[in-house]
Coordinates of all heavy atoms in Angstrom, one line a residue:
I90 N 12.1 -3.3 -9.1 CA 13.1 -3.2 -7.9 C 12.8 -4.3 -6.9 O 13.7 -4.9 -6.4 CB 13.0 -1.8 -7.3 CG1 13.4 -0.7 -8.3 CG2 13.8 -1.7 -6.0 CD1 13.2 0.8 -7.9
G91 N 11.5 -4.5 -6.6 CA 11.1 -5.4 -5.6 C 11.5 -6.9 -6.0 O 11.8 -7.7 -5.2
E92 N 11.4 -7.1 -7.3 CA 11.8 -8.4 -7.8 C 13.3 -8.7 -7.6 O 13.8 -9.7 -7.2 CB 11.5 -8.5 -9.3 CG 11.9 -9.9 -9.9 CD 11.4 -10.1 -11.3 OE1 10.6 -9.3 -11.8 OE2 11.8 -11.1 -11.9
W93 N 14.1 -7.6 -7.8 CA 15.5 -7.7 -7.5 C 15.8 -7.9 -6.1 O 16.7 -8.8 -5.7 CB 16.2 -6.3 -8.0 CG 17.7 -6.3 -7.7 CD1 18.7 -6.8 -8.5 CD2 18.3 -5.8 -6.5 NE1 19.9 -6.7 -7.8 CE2 19.7 -6.1 -6.6 CE3 17.8 -5.2 -5.3 CZ2 20.6 -5.7 -5.7 CZ3 18.7 -4.9 -4.3 CH2 20.1 -5.1 -4.5
V94 N 15.1 -7.3 -5.2 CA 15.2 -7.4 -3.7 C 15.0 -8.9 -3.4 O 15.8 -9.5 -2.6 CB 14.2 -6.5 -3.0 CG1 14.3 -6.8 -1.5 CG2 14.6 -5.0 -3.2
L95 N 13.8 -9.4 -3.9 CA 13.5 -10.8 -3.5 C 14.6 -11.8 -3.9 O 15.0 -12.7 -3.2 CB 12.2 -11.2 -4.2 CG 10.9 -11.3 -3.4 CD1 9.7 -11.4 -4.3 CD2 11.0 -12.4 -2.4
R96 N 15.0 -11.7 -5.2 CA 16.0 -12.6 -5.7 C 17.3 -12.5 -4.9 O 17.9 -13.5 -4.5 CB 16.3 -12.4 -7.2 CG 15.1 -12.6 -8.1 CD 15.4 -12.4 -9.5 NE 16.1 -13.5 -10.1 CZ 15.6 -14.6 -10.6 NH1 14.3 -14.8 -10.6 NH2 16.4 -15.5 -11.1
T97 N 17.7 -11.2 -4.7 CA 19.0 -11.0 -4.0 C 18.9 -11.5 -2.6 O 19.9 -12.2 -2.1 CB 19.3 -9.5 -4.0 OG1 19.3 -9.0 -5.3 CG2 20.7 -9.2 -3.4
A98 N 17.8 -11.3 -1.9 CA 17.7 -11.7 -0.5 C 17.7 -13.3 -0.4 O 18.3 -13.8 0.5 CB 16.4 -11.2 0.1
C99 N 17.0 -13.9 -1.4 CA 17.0 -15.4 -1.3 C 18.3 -16.0 -1.6 O 18.7 -16.9 -0.9 CB 16.0 -15.9 -2.4 SG 14.3 -15.6 -2.0
F100 N 19.1 -15.4 -2.5 CA 20.4 -16.0 -2.8 C 21.3 -15.7 -1.6 O 22.1 -16.6 -1.2 CB 21.0 -15.3 -4.0 CG 20.7 -16.0 -5.3 CD1 19.6 -15.5 -6.1 CD2 21.4 -17.1 -5.7 CE1 19.3 -16.2 -7.3 CE2 21.1 -17.8 -6.9 CZ 20.0 -17.3 -7.7
Q101 N 21.2 -14.6 -1.0 CA 22.0 -14.2 0.2 C 21.7 -15.2 1.4 O 22.6 -15.7 2.0 CB 21.7 -12.8 0.7 CG 22.4 -12.4 1.9 CD 24.0 -12.5 1.9 OE1 24.5 -12.5 0.8 NE2 24.6 -12.8 3.0
A102 N 20.4 -15.5 1.6 CA 20.0 -16.4 2.7 C 20.6 -17.8 2.6 O 20.8 -18.5 3.6 CB 18.6 -16.5 2.8
M103 N 21.0 -18.2 1.3 CA 21.6 -19.5 1.1 C 23.0 -19.6 1.7 O 23.6 -20.7 1.9 CB 21.7 -19.8 -0.4 CG 20.3 -20.2 -1.0 SD 19.6 -21.7 -0.3 CE 20.6 -22.9 -1.2
N104 N 23.6 -18.4 2.1 CA 24.9 -18.4 2.7 C 24.8 -18.6 4.3 O 25.8 -18.7 4.9 CB 25.6 -17.1 2.5 CG 25.9 -16.9 1.0 OD1 26.3 -17.8 0.4 ND2 25.7 -15.7 0.6
W105 N 23.6 -18.6 4.8 CA 23.4 -18.7 6.2 C 23.0 -20.1 6.7 O 22.5 -20.9 5.9 CB 22.3 -17.7 6.7 CG 22.6 -16.3 6.3 CD1 23.8 -15.7 6.1 CD2 21.6 -15.2 6.0 NE1 23.7 -14.4 5.8 CE2 22.4 -14.1 5.7 CE3 20.3 -15.2 6.1 CZ2 21.8 -12.9 5.4 CZ3 19.6 -14.0 5.7 CH2 20.4 -12.9 5.4
P106 N 23.3 -20.4 8.0 CA 22.9 -21.7 8.4 C 21.4 -22.0 8.2 O 20.6 -21.1 8.3 CB 23.2 -21.7 9.9 CG 24.1 -20.5 10.1 CD 23.9 -19.6 9.0
A107 N 21.0 -23.3 8.0 CA 19.7 -23.7 7.6 C 18.5 -23.1 8.4 O 17.5 -22.8 7.8 CB 19.6 -25.2 7.6
P108 N 18.6 -22.9 9.7 CA 17.3 -22.4 10.4 C 17.1 -20.9 10.1 O 16.0 -20.4 10.4 CB 17.5 -22.7 11.8 CG 19.0 -22.9 12.0 CD 19.6 -23.3 10.7
I109 N 18.1 -20.2 9.7 CA 18.0 -18.8 9.6 C 17.2 -18.3 8.4 O 17.4 -18.7 7.3 CB 19.4 -18.1 9.6 CG1 20.3 -18.5 10.7 CG2 19.3 -16.6 9.5 CD1 19.7 -18.1 12.1
K110 N 16.2 -17.5 8.7 CA 15.2 -17.0 7.6 C 15.6 -15.6 7.1 O 16.4 -14.9 7.8 CB 13.8 -17.0 8.2 CG 13.3 -18.3 8.7 CD 11.9 -18.1 9.2 CE 11.5 -19.4 9.9 NZ 10.0 -19.6 10.0
V111 N 15.0 -15.2 6.0 CA 15.2 -13.9 5.5 C 13.8 -13.3 5.3 O 12.9 -14.0 4.9 CB 16.0 -13.8 4.2 CG1 15.3 -14.4 3.0 CG2 16.4 -12.4 3.9
A112 N 13.6 -12.1 5.8 CA 12.3 -11.4 5.6 C 12.5 -10.3 4.6 O 13.5 -9.6 4.6 CB 11.9 -10.8 7.0
V113 N 11.5 -10.2 3.7 CA 11.5 -9.2 2.6 C 10.3 -8.4 2.6 O 9.2 -8.9 2.7 CB 11.6 -10.0 1.2 CG1 11.5 -9.0 0.0 CG2 13.0 -10.8 1.1
N114 N 10.4 -7.1 2.6 CA 9.3 -6.2 2.6 C 8.7 -6.1 1.2 O 9.4 -6.0 0.2 CB 9.7 -4.8 3.0 CG 10.2 -4.7 4.4 OD1 9.3 -4.7 5.3 ND2 11.5 -4.7 4.6
V115 N 7.3 -6.1 1.1 CA 6.7 -6.1 -0.2 C 5.5 -5.0 -0.1 O 4.7 -5.0 0.8 CB 6.1 -7.5 -0.5 CG1 5.1 -7.4 -1.7 CG2 7.2 -8.5 -0.7
S116 N 5.6 -4.1 -1.1 CA 4.6 -3.0 -1.1 C 3.3 -3.5 -1.8 O 3.3 -4.5 -2.5 CB 5.1 -1.9 -2.0 OG 6.2 -1.4 -1.5
G117 N 2.2 -2.8 -1.5 CA 0.9 -3.2 -2.2 C 1.0 -3.2 -3.7 O 0.5 -4.1 -4.3
E118 N 1.6 -2.3 -4.3 CA 1.8 -2.2 -5.7 C 2.4 -3.5 -6.3 O 2.0 -4.0 -7.4 CB 2.8 -1.1 -6.1 CG 2.2 0.3 -6.0 CD 1.0 0.5 -7.0 OE1 1.0 -0.2 -8.0 OE2 0.1 1.3 -6.7
Q119 N 3.4 -4.0 -5.5 CA 4.1 -5.2 -5.9 C 3.3 -6.4 -5.7 O 3.1 -7.3 -6.6 CB 5.3 -5.2 -5.0 CG 6.5 -5.9 -5.5 CD 7.5 -5.9 -4.3 OE1 7.5 -5.1 -3.4 NE2 8.4 -6.9 -4.4
L120 N 2.6 -6.5 -4.5 CA 1.8 -7.6 -4.2 C 0.6 -7.8 -5.2 O 0.2 -8.9 -5.6 CB 1.3 -7.5 -2.8 CG 0.5 -8.7 -2.2 CD1 1.5 -9.8 -1.8 CD2 -0.4 -8.3 -1.1

Side-chain angles (χ1 to χ4, degrees):
I90 295 171
E92 180 169 352
W93 178 86
V94 172
L95 254 170
R96 296 182 75 87
T97 307
C99 287
F100 273 98
Q101 176 57 29
M103 288 295 285
N104 296 318
W105 302 333
I109 304 297
K110 302 180 187 200
V111 69
V113 173
N114 293 285
V115 171
S116 301
E118 283 297 333
Q119 207 185 335
L120 186 81

